[in-house]
Amino acid sequence: LFIKHQQYIGSTMGTRQDMLDILQLVKQDKLRPIVDKAFPLTEIVTAHKHLEAGNQFGKVILEFDS
């Protein structure tokens, strides 16, 4: 961030307490993200085309091999 003169800017969509409340719900397994599709990292181009098509409902994720 420093060398490229970039900035990290946080979200203004809620308060710190809102974030803590949401994290608590995730921890309690009461809130889960909606995942449209998962792609292996090797298919990143296909994943990007899927996003560009705009047909996803939920998150599109990349999976890394461990």
Side-chain angles (χ1 to χ4, degrees):
L1 291 172
F2 179 74
I3 292 172
K4 293 184 179 183
H5 301 282
Q6 295 176 336
Q7 293 181 0
Y8 175 78
I9 301 172
S11 171
T12 59
M13 296 174 66
T15 66
R16 177 175 165 78
Q17 188 59 51
D18 291 337
M19 182 187 71
L20 295 173
D21 292 343
I22 289 171
L23 289 175
Q24 188 64 30
L25 291 172
V26 171
K27 184 177 178 181
Q28 295 171 359
D29 209 24
K30 293 181 179 178
L31 184 66
R32 292 183 177 192
I34 297 172
V35 177
D36 175 69
K37 195 164 184 179
F39 294 89
L41 185 59
T42 56
E43 294 183 28
I44 192 168
V45 173
T46 304
H48 198 271
K49 288 179 181 177
H50 181 72
L51 286 170
E52 286 178 335
N55 296 325
Q56 76 278 0
F57 180 81
K59 302 297 181 186
V60 174
I61 61 172
L62 294 174
E63 295 176 327
F64 294 85
D65 293 332
S66 49

